[in-house]
Amino acid sequence: MDKESLIVEGFVFPSYKEAQVALGEKKNIEIIRQRTPLSDQKALYDLYTKLIERDMFKTVVGYSFLYEMRYRLIAEYGYAEEDLPTVTLPKRMDYDRVNEFNRGVLESKLQALLLTKKRMSIVIAALTFMVVAMFVIAAVNPNVGYINTENKILNKYSAWQEELEAREEAVKEKEEAMK
């Protein structure tokens, strides 16, 4: 669907269906302009009131035509604002019903995402606690860690080295004694 199919009378409509309604209103407005002498004050006033009573228009195309008629009645024919019936915009348009369905779907998705966020927050908090606990244990406990293991191995090797040096010294002494 291209963007031009959504443009009617210079207005871009959010859906193809609404653009089609506006096209229908545009055609009706053209017919009204052909059949009704808009230069006749009484005919213009009667047409304006009938269109409002029958709630003929649903899109901005129709409302702009009503506004044009209202402006003409006030500016050219001297009607007061209070003498003319007001244009009442509809609370909901047809496309809003679809949006209500979409809103319900989006709200259910939002609830699922909020639940997932809550679960992830709990998991992150638990993992953070575990990492902090591991660092505390590593810092406080002297028996944990490779440093103590390395020291134990070094101590063991140094003890072996001392023992080997003592044996080597004893062997050298015996060799000298035998000479």
Side-chain angles (χ1 to χ4, degrees), residues 2-14:
D2 59 345
K3 189 173 182 175
E4 282 105 29
S5 65
L6 300 176
I7 299 175
V8 179
E9 292 288 312
F11 297 104
V12 178
F13 290 90

Side-chain angles (χ1 to χ4, degrees), residues 171-179:
V171 169
K172 282 184 183 177
E173 285 179 11
K174 282 186 181 181
E175 282 180 2
E176 281 185 20
M178 288 200 179
K179 283 190 189 181

Side-chain angles (χ1 to χ4, degrees), residues 26-27 38 44 69 79 81 95 112 124 150 156 158 162 167:
K26 178 183 174 185
K27 289 176 186 174
L38 296 180
L44 184 63
M69 292 171 60
Y79 281 89
E81 288 270 346
Y95 66 89
I124 289 171
E150 184 181 359
K156 190 175 188 179
S158 66
E162 288 174 12
R167 283 185 184 174

